[in-house]
Amino acid sequence: MPQNIFLVLDKHLLPVKQHTMNMGRHPNNDLIINDPRVSRWHAQIRFENGDFILYDMDAKFGTFVNNERVNKYVLKTGDTISLANTPVLFIDRSDKIVRQIDGVTGMLMDEE
């Protein structure tokens, strides 16, 4: 499981540390969103075959990524997940992404 994977909700940086992360209004979710338009079990992020995949869990108002409705979506750093108009930013700062950026820019991310 890659390290340095985060969700940003209301200026809070939340690390993703498990293979399955449930999001919704129910208090047993990993990410609880207290909005009546968010379903109790709205969406789920799973780490599968090296990717983080977002699944809509048949939410009444749908799950969106970058303003497009999705049922299943492979997340990339910078994607904005919307659960009933509640934005959640997906950030991947894993070594894999940093190495890809370094290869393109020719510099280390920490060097500024």
Side-chain angles (χ1 to χ4, degrees):
M1 173 97 178
Q3 300 297 309
N4 299 317
I5 308 299
F6 302 96
L7 298 177
V8 180
L9 173 65
D10 295 331
K11 299 181 184 177
H12 297 284
L13 190 63
L14 309 163
V16 176
K17 295 189 178 216
Q18 61 247 32
H19 282 80
T20 302
M21 185 171 201
N22 295 306
M23 300 180 289
R25 200 177 68 242
H26 194 278
N28 287 345
N29 281 294
D30 302 299
L31 178 60
I32 301 165
I33 300 173
N34 292 315
D35 180 329
R37 295 169 296 172
V38 172
S39 295
R40 286 176 292 177
W41 303 97
H42 199 106
Q44 186 177 76
I45 296 174
R46 297 182 205 154
F47 182 65
E48 298 176 342
N49 299 316
D51 291 315
F52 286 90
I53 303 174
L54 175 71
Y55 291 90
D56 176 75
M57 305 303 286
D58 295 322
K60 182 177 181 180
F61 293 105
T63 300
F64 295 78
V65 176
N66 304 326
N67 297 317
E68 298 289 327
R69 190 172 186 150
V70 299
N71 290 316
K72 178 181 177 182
Y73 182 87
V74 178
L75 293 166
K76 300 173 297 303
T77 193
D79 283 337
T80 300
I81 303 163
S82 295
L83 309 177
N85 295 326
T86 299
V88 179
L89 181 65
F90 178 80
I91 299 175
D92 183 345
R93 288 279 298 155
S94 66
D95 291 340
K96 174 183 165 186
I97 295 296
V98 172
R99 282 194 306 273
Q100 288 173 349
I101 293 169
D102 291 346
V104 171
T105 63
M107 59 190 262
L108 295 174
M109 288 297 293
D110 293 333
E111 294 177 358
E112 292 187 1

